[in-house]
Amino acid sequence: MQPSPSKNLLQISDLSKVFTIRRGLSSIKFQAVDHASLTIQAEKPEIFTLAGESGSGKTTLARMVLGLQDPSDGHIYYKGVDITGISRKQRRDWFMREVQPIFQDPFATFSPLKKVDTYLFETAKHYGAKSSDRGRNLVDQTLTSVGLSLREVAGRYPNELSGGQIQRISVARALLTAPSLLVADEPVSMVDASLRMSIVNLFKTLKEERNLSVLYITHDLATAYYLADRIAVMLRGWIVESGPVERVLGNPLHPYTQLLKGSIPLADPDRRWDEKADLAPMDIEEYTRAGCRFADRCPHVMDICRRQVPPDYEVEGRTVKCFLYDPAGAGVPVPSQAALDSGAIHHA
Ligand SMILES: Nc1ncnc2c1ncn2[C@@H]1O[C@H](COP(=O)(O)OP(=O)(O)OP(=O)(O)O)[C@@H](O)[C@H]1O
Ligand SMILES: [Mg+2]
């Protein structure tokens, strides 16, 4: 049963995006996001991570949430309102101040020819700081909350600041609208490794001190494990496993999550999983084939996996899209707990 949208901060229901790509003389349609559902709760702030290999649909999903791309199908509810159907005015005056993006490349957010504090003053003014004194105070306070100060930043151009500083400034700019949700797409991947954890910690602090929820997109499972409350793992447009992060990453059930986790020790936040993982490049066949999109790479593949799309099963406090967990057996033997424990079904 679908939860009531008004009980959640964000609820994505059966969201899909179809793209058409050219292959030689013909064109192929594929579902870059395929009936994805997730919720970010409203009662208390949470960090929800979207993880998965390159090309799995994370950015496409985030862009639909931000209204930068129209869904082909499905719904996105924010505070109970279906934002796929709101007016431009409502989007601009309400939604865009409540939900703020943080992009991967902080330098792309700021023009090299414009002083960064100008952006902050403009945003403060636009969102209600009437006098320039109030604007200054608000900008200074907000910069302090991201570990900077107006004194450090005033009059400087983007190229005079480090990647870590400029990403903090883009977070500060987002905070000036007093949002309830940040959508952060790989926000630390272009930041110098030595500064990465300090930005990651900033998201944690903002959650605790400002009641901010974050949809946090990353390749990096170690950071996800450290930062997130819940996680959804994407594979070729599907969410294949989702639930509390300590369950999903502590004891992954989907063979794909096991593959991902097996590629990186969670205890080492400086390592990125994609440096080592044996992951497949973009393969359009995996999107368009019958049955499970992981079948050709799965060490536990069964007959049914090549014929039918696996449904979502509720198992051990998370949702898993895999026939291995069909309680009725789905016409094939289901591994017993003993088989799982013995390592016949490998838990990374
Ligand atoms: N405008 C577009 N037209 C056609 N295909 C697209 C378009 N945008 C994205 N895609 C394809 O959709 C799939 C999902 O892309 P997306 O950028 O959402 O993946 P991602 O999970 O964010 O990857 P990464 O980790 O590399 O950022 C990819 O195969 C990508 O090539
Ligand atoms: Mg992306």
Side-chain angles (χ1 to χ4, degrees), residues 44-272:
K44 58 183 173 76
E46 68 170 330
I47 297 181
F48 192 106
T49 284
L50 208 51
E53 68 196 346
S54 193
S56 55
K58 306 180 297 295
T59 294
T60 306
L61 189 148
R63 285 174 59 79
M64 288 192 279
V65 171
L66 290 166
L68 301 173
Q69 202 136 46
D70 289 330
S72 307
D73 203 3
H75 297 276
I76 303 165
Y77 301 95
Y78 178 75
K79 293 189 173 171
V81 176
D82 187 347
I83 53 129
T84 50
I86 60 175
S87 68
R88 276 181 161 205
K89 183 170 170 10
Q90 214 183 349
R91 180 172 288 280
R92 194 187 57 228
D93 295 348
W94 170 66
F95 181 75
M96 285 172 70
R97 81 186 281 171
E98 293 252 340
V99 180
Q100 282 283 317
I102 308 289
F103 295 110
Q104 181 175 22
D105 181 1
F107 287 100
T109 321
F110 298 97
S111 158
L113 303 173
K114 198 162 157 180
K115 293 173 186 160
V116 287
D117 54 345
T118 317
Y119 285 94
L120 299 172
F121 291 127
E122 283 172 0
T123 308
K125 190 166 171 207
H126 185 78
Y127 286 100
K130 295 275 179 288
S131 71
S132 57
D133 267 1
R134 267 193 77 180
R136 262 192 105 70
N137 281 341
L138 183 62
V139 167
D140 197 19
Q141 275 167 18
T142 313
L143 282 169
T144 307
S145 72
V146 300
L148 293 167
S149 69
L150 186 52
R151 221 156 47 91
E152 280 172 88
V153 166
R156 300 176 83 174
Y157 290 93
N159 68 351
E160 297 175 299
L161 296 156
S162 73
Q165 283 174 318
I166 202 101
Q167 193 58 300
R168 281 171 193 276
I169 293 167
S170 59
V171 174
R173 189 185 181 203
L175 296 179
L176 285 169
T177 74
S180 299
L181 177 67
L182 297 182
V183 178
D185 190 352
E186 308 254 13
V188 298
S189 66
M190 292 180 77
V191 172
D192 196 70
S194 62
L195 300 172
R196 231 176 251 159
M197 280 317 283
S198 70
I199 307 274
V200 167
N201 279 322
L202 174 61
F203 286 106
K204 220 171 185 169
T205 312
L206 293 175
K207 179 186 104 170
E208 281 149 20
E209 292 180 359
R210 290 193 172 233
N211 277 344
L212 249 181
S213 288
V214 186
L215 180 60
Y216 185 88
I217 296 173
T218 185
H219 269 105
D220 184 352
L221 280 195
T223 316
Y225 192 64
Y226 172 75
L227 185 65
D229 299 293
R230 288 190 299 144
I231 186 167
V233 177
M234 288 192 80
L235 161 84
R236 304 295 189 225
W238 286 346
I239 291 179
V240 292
E241 184 161 358
S242 65
V245 73
E246 65 281 1
R247 281 178 191 261
V248 172
L249 295 185
N251 178 27
L253 295 182
H254 197 287
Y256 176 63
T257 323
Q258 293 171 357
L259 169 81
L260 293 180
K261 187 192 161 187
S263 69
I264 183 81
L266 292 179
D268 184 354
D270 288 337
R271 285 274 296 285
R272 288 170 56 74

